[in-house]
């Protein structure tokens, strides 16, 4: 603001009569004082606040959206101060990357930025969630309370009930700008308007492409290019899989800042690492952090002072000087949130499960998970083959699925039995000679659907669901599947990639009339993320198996164990491990994971993936314990128990006199 040239012009309010200034009669009417006070307030510039200062002064947390309602305090999460201040207009940084653990306050910091922009530096803003539905939920649960609880924001964004308020579920208008909220799955939402500010939340959950129009991050950032150096882009996410994680890729291209905190004993500055958290075995409550400088233990109650004395330090050189990157694990979580003891308990509970350890690394350590897609040695699998009666379903198998791979001159089918924890047994391998143009081949496949396999407990099982690949001669596959009925047969299409929200999606109705209308009673197609099931299969093959001595003492195979019968030959085993996961570079230099063949034939692996997809479609991944118990009761396959005298009580075989319709599995036609 410039200084007024007239000494008679009021600055911040009406001049008192004692000053002798002549107001020229400006106060000779009702309301003159209020007008002059408003005029004076308008002449004063807004305070030059950073985002963190604005949050401490104006942000109120609602009980609807926060576990700690009341005034926001940056001192509670000191590591967020610099990240928020990088988003202030006075900072030259244009892109801020934050790879972090879950629940460290990142989303609230992003909401502080939204509030700051509405109040202090208005402009068009785009906030992107993984899906449109999540954007709507975030608007209700986060953005609406943000506005409602802060008077400075409430007076700038009109209530949604006002006529022409510009306040809808996914759009908030305010003086000088607008907040657009959308999902990364909506190309229309991403290209709807230019945006000076872009908030990209949980980017690792974004789809590979937005409505087949390209990478959502690239589409969103293109909205800000016209704002040149004035733009601000915030990318936040918990990471996922190494080589596929967007946030890791962005972090590694940045200056890779870590939050260094001082040791309370020796003052040595260090960033916290999980391998320096120590505890007595079986006693998570003894967890302490050991300083890498003096090796003395640090109790968790000392963390508050450590966080207050912490600072961000760059550990690399950024490819783009306008981009800064930050990484933070849950070890920094403030007192009262996630404690070191709970972190240790989570780690101990995760042992023995790759999926649980993966979740721990992603959500608690804020690190990517490395998929070890190395093919197991087929000879090792040969040596681990097991002997049970040929053609018999072992006691632990509770239902059957099959995977069919259609080739030019044959149809290969593998039948798998599944038990609790997705433990599996290869029951049969069938090769039907003749390709899809041979009518008898389809007749033989139809006969396989009606075949029974004897169960060790006396029942006979049929294939609960068969998944058949549509990659070769899809019309013939649809025609046969349509004739069999889709209750037992599921046509599938395999797609690559690990970043799909579900390993199986669908079904999609693919039959259409001459006018192009989808037929609800026509063929339906399931989409299968084959990368996910291949990685799972190899992970299951690497599980440690109990020794004969362990099994004699009552040890069981771990969940997911794969049992291969003695009759499988070398060729089948080589096909089963015919691919491995490798990291390749795209033309733009980005890393991605890709399954590559080690040999030409891989039908055994494909059939396993399709049979696994059939188990997923049947619901095995989502069944409650009651459903598994019911199947065990029907087959008499419940685990053995010891009676009071130390004798083994074998479960009874399936009752012979019951009608098939009396049992759930039989009612569904499985046995």
């Amino acid at each position: 603001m410039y200084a007024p040239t007239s000494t008679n012009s009021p600055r911040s309010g009406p001049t008192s009569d004692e000053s002798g200034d002549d107001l020229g009669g400006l106060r000779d009417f009702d309301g003159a004082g209020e007008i002059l006070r408003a005029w004076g307030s308008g002449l004063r510039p807004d305070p030059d606040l950073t985002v963190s200062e604005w949050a401490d002064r104006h942000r109120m947390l609602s009980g609807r959206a926060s576990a700690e309602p009341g005034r926001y305090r940056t001192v509670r999460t000191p590591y967020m101060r610099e990240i928020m201040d990088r988003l202030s207009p006075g900072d030259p940084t244009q892109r801020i990357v934050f790879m972090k653990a879950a629940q460290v306050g990142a989303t609230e910091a992003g909401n502080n930025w939204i509030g700051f922009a509405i109040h202090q530096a208005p402009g068009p803003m785009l906030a992107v969630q993984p899906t449109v539905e999540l954007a709507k939920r975030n608007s209700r649960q986060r953005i609406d309370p943000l506005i409602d609880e802060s008077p400075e924001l409430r007076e700038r964004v009109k209530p949604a009930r006002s006529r022409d308020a510009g306040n809808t579920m996914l759009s908030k208008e305010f003086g000088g700008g607008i907040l657009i909220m959308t999902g990364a799955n909506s190309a229309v939402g991403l290209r709807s308007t230019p945006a000076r500010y872009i908030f990209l939340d949980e980017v690792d959950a974004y789809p590979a492409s937005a409505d087949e129009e390209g990478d959502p991050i690239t589409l969103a950032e293109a909205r800000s290019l016209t704002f040149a150096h004035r733009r601000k882009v915030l990318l936040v996410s918990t990471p996922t899989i190494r080589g596929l994680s967007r946030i890791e890729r962005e972090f590694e291209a940045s200056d890779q800042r870590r939050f260094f905190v001082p040791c309370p004993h020796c003052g040595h500055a260090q960033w916290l690492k999980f391998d320096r958290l120590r505890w007595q075995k079986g006693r998570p409550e003894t967890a302490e952090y050991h300083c890498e400088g003096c090796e003395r233990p640090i109790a968790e109650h000392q963390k508050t002072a450590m966080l207050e004395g912490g600072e961000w330090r760059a550990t690399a050189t950024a490819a783009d000087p306008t981009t800064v990157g930050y990484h933070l694990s849950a070890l920094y979580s403030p007192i009262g949130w996630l404690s070191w003891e709970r972190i240790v308990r989570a780690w101990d509970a995760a042992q023995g499960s790759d999926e649980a350890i993966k979740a721990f690394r992603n959500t608690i350590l804020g690190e990517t998970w490395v998929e070890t897609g190395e093919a197991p040695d087929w000879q090792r699998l040969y040596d681990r083959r097991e002997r049970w009666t040929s053609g018999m379903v072992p006691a632990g198998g509770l239902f059957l699925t099959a995977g069919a791979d259609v080739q030019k001159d044959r149809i290969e089918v593998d039948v798998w039995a599944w038990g609790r924890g997705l433990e599996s047994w290869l029951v049969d391998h069938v090769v039907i000679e003749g390709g899809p143009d041979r009518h008898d081949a389809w007749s033989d496949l139809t006969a396989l659907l009606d075949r029974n396999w004897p169960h060790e407990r006396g029942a006979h099982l049929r294939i609960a669901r068969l998944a058949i690949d549509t990659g070769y001669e899809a019309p013939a596959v649809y025609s046969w599947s349509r004739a069999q009925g889709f209750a037992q047969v599921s046509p599938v299409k395999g797609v690559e990639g690990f970043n799909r929200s579900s390993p199986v999606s669908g079904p999609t109705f693919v039959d259409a009339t001459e006018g192009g209308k989808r037929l609800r009673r026509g063929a339906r197609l399931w989409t299968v993320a084959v990368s996910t099931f291949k990685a799972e299969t190899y992970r299951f093959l690497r599980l440690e198996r109990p020794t004969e001595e362990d099994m004699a003492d009552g040890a069981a195979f771990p969940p997911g164990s794969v049992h291969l019968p003695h009759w499988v030959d070398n060729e089948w085993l080589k096909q089963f491990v015919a691919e491995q996961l490798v990291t390749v570079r795209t033309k733009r230099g980005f890393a991605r994971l890709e399954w590559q063949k080690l040999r030409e034939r891989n039908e055994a692996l494909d059939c396993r993936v399709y049979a696994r997809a059939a188990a997923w479609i049947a619901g095995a991944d989502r069944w409650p314990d009651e459903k598994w118990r019911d199947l065990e009761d029907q087959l008499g396959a419940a685990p053995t128990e010891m009676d009071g005298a130390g004798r083994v009580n074998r479960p009874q075989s399936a009752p012979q006199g019951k009608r098939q319709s009396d049992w759930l599995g039989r009612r569904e036609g499985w046995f």
Side-chain angles (χ1 to χ4, degrees), residues 130-196:
T131 66
V132 173
E133 285 303 312
L134 286 176
K136 292 179 179 178
R137 185 189 305 174
N138 184 70
S139 178
R140 291 191 301 267
Q141 298 180 354
R142 299 276 192 170
I143 304 304
D144 285 346
L146 164 71
I147 295 171
D148 293 342
E149 299 295 331
S150 300
E152 291 77 12
L153 305 182
R154 198 165 56 241
E155 67 183 21
R156 285 165 172 77
V157 181
K158 295 181 180 179
R161 60 181 177 272
S162 300
R163 180 177 297 179
D164 300 326
N167 183 346
T168 65
M169 178 74 73
L170 295 177
S171 175
K172 310 290 183 183
E173 291 185 13
F174 49 90
I178 184 172
L179 170 63
I180 299 292
M181 292 165 281
T182 189
N185 59 340
S186 171
V188 174
L190 294 176
R191 64 168 186 260
S192 60
T193 182
R196 178 184 175 186

Side-chain angles (χ1 to χ4, degrees), residues 177-313:
I178 184 172
L179 170 63
I180 299 292
M181 292 165 281
T182 189
N185 59 340
S186 171
V188 174
L190 294 176
R191 64 168 186 260
S192 60
T193 182
R196 178 184 175 186
Y197 309 120
I198 299 179
F199 180 17
L200 304 173
D201 199 11
E202 291 302 337
V203 298
D204 269 20
Y206 288 5
S209 181
D211 294 334
E212 307 302 324
E213 293 192 20
D215 176 47
I217 293 179
T218 302
L219 293 176
E221 288 205 51
R223 301 295 91 204
S224 68
L225 296 180
T226 56
F227 288 91
H229 66 278
R230 296 187 299 133
R231 71 175 187 142
K232 295 284 184 181
V233 180
L234 174 62
L235 300 93
V236 176
S237 188
T238 300
T240 49
I241 298 173
R242 175 75 56 83
L244 296 178
S245 172
R246 285 186 171 98
I247 198 67
E248 182 188 53
R249 182 185 70 200
E250 297 287 350
F251 175 74
E252 290 184 344
S254 74
D255 56 1
Q256 301 181 29
R257 297 179 177 233
R258 308 278 187 172
F259 198 63
F260 283 72
V261 294
C263 170
H265 306 302
C266 69
H268 177 74
Q270 59 206 293
W271 61 276
L272 303 183
K273 307 175 184 69
F274 179 65
D275 59 7
R276 301 206 66 82
L277 194 63
R278 313 283 170 76
W279 63 95
Q280 298 176 22
K281 186 176 181 179
R283 298 186 59 196
E285 67 276 7
T286 63
E288 296 176 318
Y289 191 89
H290 284 243
C291 171
E292 64 183 27
C294 65
E295 292 293 341
R296 294 177 63 184
I298 302 172
E300 186 160 18
H301 69 81
Q302 297 173 299
K303 192 197 311 185
T304 300
M306 295 169 65
L307 293 179
E308 291 175 354
E311 63 176 1
W312 289 101
R313 295 182 184 178

Side-chain angles (χ1 to χ4, degrees), residues 8 11 211 243 251 265 297 379 417 423 455 479 496 537:
N8 293 329
R11 296 187 178 187
D211 294 334
F251 175 74
H265 306 302
Q379 292 178 320
E423 192 173 358
H455 191 274
S479 177
E496 297 293 337
T537 297

Side-chain angles (χ1 to χ4, degrees), residues 454-579:
H455 191 274
E456 187 176 315
R457 299 300 183 191
H460 286 78
L461 303 187
R462 298 175 63 218
I463 294 173
R465 188 170 289 270
L466 179 144
I468 182 168
D469 180 37
T470 60
Y472 183 78
E473 289 288 348
V477 174
Y478 291 146
S479 177
W480 177 79
S481 303
R482 193 184 303 111
Q484 307 314 310
F486 297 103
Q488 190 180 11
V489 175
S490 299
V492 296
K493 177 183 72 173
V495 294
E496 297 293 337
F498 288 89
N499 59 343
R500 306 184 74 86
S501 58
S502 172
V504 181
S505 59
T508 301
F509 296 92
V510 293
D511 272 349
T513 64
E514 291 182 1
K517 183 178 180 181
R518 300 289 184 185
L519 293 177
R520 298 287 294 181
R521 296 180 181 273
R524 59 199 67 178
L525 178 68
W526 296 84
T527 300
V528 178
V530 294
S531 296
T532 300
F533 285 144
K534 288 176 183 176
E536 177 193 80
T537 297
Y538 282 9
R539 187 168 67 249
F540 287 168
L541 289 173
R542 289 193 300 270
L543 291 174
E544 291 292 331
R545 303 161 72 89
T547 64
E548 293 183 2
E549 292 78 9
D550 293 335
M551 287 189 287
D553 293 336
F557 283 88
S561 294
V562 178
H563 302 270
L564 302 177
H566 66 280
W567 49 260
V568 293
D569 57 17
N570 296 355
E571 174 60 25
W572 188 95
L573 290 169
K574 290 177 181 178
Q575 292 180 21
F576 197 45
V577 292
E579 298 184 27

